[in-house]
Amino acid sequence: HSDSTYDYIVVGGGTSGLVIANRLSEQKNTSVLVIEAGGSVYNNPNVTDTLGYGKAFGTDIDWAYKTTDQEYAGGSSQTVRAGKALGGTSTINGMVYLRAQAAQINAWETVGNKGWNWESLLPYYKKGEQLQDPAQYPFLDGSGVAFDPAYHGFTGPLKVGWTSTQLNDGLAQKMNTTYQNLEVPVQYNRDPNGGDMVGYSLYPMTVDSELNIREDAARAYYYPYQNRTNLHIWLNTHANKLTWKDGPEVTANGVEVTLSNGTTAVVKATREVILAAGALKSPVLLELSGVGNPDILSKYGIATKINLPTVGENLQDQMNNGLQFDSKTSYSNKSADYVSYPSAAQLFPNSTAVGADLLRKLPAYAAQVASANGNITRTRDLYRFFKIQWDLIFKHGIPVAEILLEPSGTTYDTEYWASVPFSRGSVHLSSADPTAAAIIDPKYFMLDFDLHAQAQAARFIREIFQTKPLADMSGAETSPGLSTVSAGADDEGWADFIKGNYRSNFHPITTAAMLPKELGGVVDSSLKVYGTSNVRVVDASVLPFQVCGHLQSTIYAVAERAADIIKGRV
Ligand code: FAD
């Protein structure tokens, strides 16, 4: 295929890439090629099994990226998982379908991305979605699952709903009573996907309720459309870098790839090259193509095509921890999609003081993040982003933590994370060799508010387990346990447990940020890379700020909107 030419080349056949490929190939006269490093996982039980979360980890469909040793977080390296398959990370993720707080998406516009707000994104969340009404599935009777039809789509490609293993023994209702009985109650929220997430909810998942198998990007956006003659996919093909046309404009005309047989080829694009390789790959592909920080590129002998030093900066993730408690009931092979999203006023007993203290620290935080990357991202821009984040937390009341309850065997597992950490790091290439591992440094726990919020979420979980009826249904805290972290421990008292046991929450974003160029943006509000005439990024890299909820629903929606932008409809 080495002399082939296409209108559009999409690099990465993952969550966002397959949305773009599907929507562009709706135009019959438009040819689209998707380049995907992985293969098909249509019949891979580690993918399809709805109770199989984690089974794909460490297998050949997991990129298993390694971070640098995390100096603020106990010194060790973390594994950041990502799917290497047609369907990308949607084939190995936790299938949770939770969007964002409306005010968070509105902040994208506030910071300078015209046209990007909750109101303009909601139609795209819906466009992609095919919610399967739980009333159609008798196995969901009594489970407590619910939704508000105003916020959902019913005819899109992506099936969203609940599995046949959903617990329906009354635990959902008891959790609700427990949340109402807290000293500062967390109210029931019937549908957390309508732009207000605060509260206690049962959330839907990306699942085919009929077949009880995972719904991933390939099942939603590719397989039903694979007969389109203008839609092409090269599997097991690694994109190495973009190729450029000669001339005054910076225009991509193709992609250099390594084919499955090991040979290198260049495939041509006549219109656009669209990067969708994920937040830890797309910025590295830009660098390999000469787009980035000249000081970094020159170290590896790469000539600078576009001086865009913030490529790979602003990397944000969350940190995931868990507490475990004995359960007096035994649960087997059931799913319980129970989430709570406390606001700052609900999580922090002294929220006003916490807010005032954090506000005083923001200038120092901004300076610290800037100096860690040699002021490539600037203190004044970071301060602006941090102040927006502060406003979201303390004025708009977004959730500051997410708490998931997962009964398993005779244990109540919880997973939790502070929703919007302030720490920011980077991802950069380590070599001109496109197969070399990148240098990934999220700088977990660099800023002390991030530890404080993470510790406070743990205290909050302890309070939940001391509140009836959950208190009567559960036994001792088995991890970390009161002998490891005493009741009433301060942040210092929690630090060893948190930093010794956290993992990446697998939500890396902002490494090719959609922001005005003068604020350090890499792509403009049409997702085009600054300085190029025809290169876009459409994946998690472009999200300007972290979202509460999980990433996939927002990534699907952003890609849906991106497709309309490329088609000239927005
Ligand atoms: P991806 O879907 O990762 O797509 C990138 C694609 O590019 C991949 O297919 C990859 O193989 C390919 N690629 C990369 N480099 C190259 C190259 N050089 N050449 C060719 N192809 C390349 N989100 C949720 O909403 N709910 C959850 O429950 C949830 N759980 C998660 C659990 C885990 C373990 C992980 C890792 C993530 C989870 N997420 C969850 C996050 C969410 O799944 C991801 O943020 C999202 O899928 C990323 O989409 P993307 O389009 O940015 O990238």
Side-chain angles (χ1 to χ4, degrees):
H1 11 242
S2 56
D3 51 26
S4 325
T5 299
Y6 301 87
D7 292 321
Y8 294 95
I9 297 179
V10 179
V11 177
T15 314
S16 54
L18 291 181
V19 176
I20 297 290
N22 176 305
R23 295 302 183 189
L24 292 180
S25 64
E26 284 174 339
Q27 310 171 115
K28 290 207 172 50
N29 300 324
T30 302
S31 61
V32 180
L33 171 67
V34 177
I35 297 168
E36 170 52 47
S40 167
V41 290
Y42 192 82
N43 291 315
N44 183 333
N46 294 341
V47 171
T48 52
D49 179 1
T50 58
L51 290 170
Y53 181 65
K55 283 189 183 165
F57 296 179
T59 71
D60 61 357
I61 68 163
D62 175 10
W63 286 95
Y65 298 123
K66 296 286 180 229
T67 72
T68 58
D69 292 346
Q70 290 299 289
E71 63 171 308
Y72 306 99
S76 52
S77 157
Q78 287 286 325
T79 301
V80 187
R81 312 224 171 258
K84 183 180 184 181
L86 190 63
T89 302
S90 73
T91 68
I92 69 163
N93 72 13
M95 307 190 301
V96 178
Y97 185 90
L98 280 162
R99 295 170 179 169
Q101 188 84 2
Q104 293 185 296
I105 307 296
N106 291 338
W108 298 7
E109 184 155 61
T110 309
V111 79
N113 296 304
K114 202 163 176 293
W116 289 92
N117 55 53
W118 176 258
E119 189 133 317
S120 68
L121 200 58
L122 183 58
Y124 291 103
Y125 281 111
K126 290 184 179 179
K127 182 179 184 184
E129 183 183 16
Q130 186 183 136
L131 188 83
Q132 302 149 103
D133 186 341
Q136 316 259 316
Y137 302 96
F139 53 75
L140 294 172
D141 289 354
S143 64
V145 306
F147 72 102
D148 182 337
Y151 302 126
H152 293 274
F154 299 88
T155 56
L158 183 73
K159 290 183 177 140
V160 173
W162 285 272
T163 65
S164 62
T165 51
Q166 182 72 18
L167 202 58
N168 53 4
D169 68 344
L171 179 59
Q173 294 78 358
K174 285 179 188 133
M175 286 307 295
N176 189 19
T177 311
T178 302
Y179 279 110
Q180 305 315 313
N181 289 342
L182 292 175
E183 208 168 296
V184 180
V186 169
Q187 58 282 28
Y188 172 64
N189 182 350
R190 183 165 166 240
D191 193 333
N193 279 316
D196 182 8
M197 315 196 82
V198 174
Y200 161 72
S201 303
L202 276 75
Y203 58 82
M205 298 195 291
T206 42
V207 66
D208 183 325
S209 297
E210 200 72 49
L211 304 176
N212 201 47
I213 55 173
R214 171 194 297 273
E215 178 80 346
D216 57 47
R219 281 189 183 262
Y221 283 92
Y222 178 65
Y223 292 114
Y225 306 90
Q226 61 184 326
N227 292 334
R228 284 182 188 167
T229 53
N230 58 335
L231 173 58
H232 306 263
I233 306 253
W234 292 1
L235 296 177
N236 305 304
T237 303
H238 191 273
N240 298 334
K241 61 180 176 184
L242 311 192
T243 59
W244 304 104
K245 203 180 200 158
D246 291 331
E249 278 205 308
V250 181
T251 301
N253 62 4
V255 179
E256 182 200 292
V257 298
T258 300
L259 301 168
S260 50
N261 66 9
T263 61
T264 299
V266 173
V267 51
K268 297 275 177 207
T270 54
R271 287 184 163 184
E272 295 195 8
V273 175
I274 297 158
L275 296 182
L280 298 176
K281 265 292 169 65
S282 290
V284 177
L285 280 163
L286 287 173
E287 292 182 326
L288 289 163
S289 312
V291 180
N293 180 344
D295 292 341
I296 294 175
L297 304 188
S298 63
K299 269 199 257 177
Y300 308 108
I302 296 170
T304 298
K305 189 83 184 166
I306 301 173
N307 179 349
L308 199 53
T310 52
V311 169
E313 298 296 336
N314 291 305
L315 170 60
Q316 298 171 65
D317 191 6
Q318 297 147 327
M319 295 74 84
N320 182 302
N321 280 108
L323 270 62
Q324 290 183 336
F325 298 80
D326 280 330
S327 159
K328 293 181 184 163
T329 311
S330 181
Y331 300 91
S332 60
N333 293 332
K334 287 287 181 186
S335 4
D337 308 325
Y338 310 155
V339 67
S340 74
Y341 281 117
S343 65
Q346 291 167 327
L347 189 74
F348 299 110
N350 50 346
S351 168
T352 310
V354 169
D357 182 52
L358 177 61
L359 189 60
R360 273 192 300 274
K361 286 178 176 164
L362 293 184
Y365 280 7
Q368 196 181 340
V369 171
S371 97
N373 62 44
N375 297 299
I376 295 303
T377 58
R378 286 174 305 194
T379 303
R380 67 158 192 268
D381 301 333
L382 289 161
Y383 177 74
R384 183 160 171 206
F385 306 150
F386 289 174
K387 182 59 175 39
I388 288 172
Q389 192 159 313
W390 188 94
D391 287 342
L392 288 169
I393 300 172
F394 293 100
K395 287 191 176 159
H396 297 280
I398 67 164
V400 277
E402 173 163 339
I403 289 141
L404 300 170
L405 180 81
E406 295 146 0
S408 119
T410 52
T411 300
Y412 288 116
D413 275 329
T414 66
E415 271 186 65
Y416 71 91
W417 55 94
S419 311
V420 284
F422 283 76
S423 302
R424 290 178 177 222
S426 62
V427 51
H428 291 295
L429 80 182
S430 67
S431 161
D433 171 359
T435 60
I439 303 166
I440 300 170
D441 182 5
K443 299 209 184 297
Y444 293 121
F445 295 110
M446 179 167 69
L447 303 171
D448 60 359
F449 177 78
D450 297 351
L451 176 66
H452 182 55
Q454 195 80 354
Q456 190 55 33
R459 293 183 194 105
F460 182 77
I461 292 172
R462 281 186 168 175
E463 191 195 335
I464 297 166
F465 277 86
Q466 284 158 15
T467 303
K468 286 176 192 243
L470 186 59
D472 294 334
M473 300 155 57
S474 55
E477 178 185 303
T478 50
S479 175
L482 294 169
S483 57
T484 304
V485 181
S486 61
D490 61 9
D491 291 355
E492 212 37 52
W494 276 100
D496 282 350
F497 168 72
I498 289 175
K499 294 181 178 181
N501 294 282
Y502 83 105
R503 62 164 172 83
S504 162
N505 203 38
F506 309 138
H507 290 170
I509 58 163
T510 326
T511 51
M514 173 173 69
L515 284 170
K517 185 151 191 264
E518 60 276 15
L519 297 183
V522 171
V523 301
D524 65 18
S525 59
S526 72
L527 305 177
K528 206 175 266 181
V529 176
Y530 287 111
T532 73
S533 69
N534 69 341
V535 178
R536 295 190 216 241
V537 186
V538 297
D539 58 27
S541 319
V542 301
L543 271 52
F545 300 118
Q546 191 54 271
V547 288
C548 301
H550 296 230
L551 292 178
Q552 66 171 345
S553 54
T554 298
I555 291 169
Y556 280 119
V558 166
E560 284 281 10
R561 189 164 191 272
D564 266 1
I565 292 172
I566 297 167
K567 287 172 165 178
R569 293 187 183 165
V570 173

